Amino acid sequence: DVLFHFTEEGMLNIRAANTDVGEHHINIPMAMSGNTLSLNFNHRYLVDGLQALEEDDIFVGCNSEHTPALFRNKSDVSLLYVLMPIRVS
């Protein structure tokens, strides 16, 4: 699983963990509107979508932790990738 945590400070915290390999954590500055949000994604589906996007700046849109997220290039909207987050209990 890959955890995306969108913070009020304009940071995207990405955390991934694997018991065999270890854990990775990165903070990426971003522009954000709305409330803080945490989303878990399957890493295979996430990588498939991100590899299809051609720009460095991408748009990620989501309404809640239980609704699909939209990934697209920021300037070219010809490719839309919709990904359902994983529910974590």
Side-chain angles (χ1 to χ4, degrees):
D1 297 355
V2 178
L3 172 67
F4 278 36
H5 179 69
F6 300 91
T7 68
E8 292 177 349
E9 295 82 27
M11 295 296 287
L12 170 59
N13 301 324
I14 302 174
R15 182 177 303 266
N18 182 306
T19 54
D20 295 331
V21 179
E23 184 174 316
H24 183 72
H25 179 257
I26 188 169
N27 293 318
I28 301 172
M30 60 163 197
M32 182 180 140
S33 63
N35 298 327
T36 63
L37 188 64
S38 293
L39 303 167
N40 270 316
F41 296 108
N42 178 297
H43 72 280
R44 290 184 184 119
Y45 297 128
L46 178 64
V47 169
D48 284 346
L50 294 178
Q51 285 179 339
L53 300 175
E54 298 174 350
E55 297 178 4
D56 291 336
D57 291 334
I58 63 169
F59 171 86
V60 179
C62 192
N63 292 328
S64 78
E65 297 167 347
H66 307 293
T67 59
L70 172 69
F71 294 82
R72 66 172 171 81
N73 291 314
K74 198 164 186 180
S75 63
D76 178 18
V77 296
S78 63
L79 173 68
L80 303 175
Y81 189 73
V82 178
L83 184 59
M84 188 69 188
I86 299 171
R87 291 188 185 211
V88 177
S89 53

